[in-house]
Amino acid sequence: MTQRERILRYLKENPKGITQADAIKYFGAYRLSDVILKLRRSGYVIETVDEVGKNRYGEPTTYGRYILRGEIAK
């Protein structure tokens, strides 16, 4: 199974989506945005939601969460 297939399965099983931190932790994927781009080009509808959290120093930071919304019929 490819990294892209694993991430797609994760998106299908987790309605809350995936962040870069999740991708590194679960799949060792350091270029999640590239995987998401390829999935989008394959016909998957994936929304990017900006979230605000704190970095390791307690400072505010913004990051993206990718949520699978569906698939375009081919």
Side-chain angles (χ1 to χ4, degrees), residues 6 18 31-32 35-37 39 51 53 74:
R6 286 185 179 97
I18 190 170
R31 297 205 50 224
L32 178 61
V35 174
I36 296 299
L37 176 64
L39 288 171
E51 294 191 354
K74 295 179 185 179

Side-chain angles (χ1 to χ4, degrees), residues 40 53 57-58:
R40 285 175 172 155
Y57 306 108

Side-chain angles (χ1 to χ4, degrees), residues 32-48:
L32 178 61
S33 61
D34 183 58
V35 174
I36 296 299
L37 176 64
K38 290 176 181 173
L39 288 171
R40 285 175 172 155
R41 287 181 176 168
S42 296
Y44 291 94
V45 179
I46 301 172
E47 178 183 5
T48 304

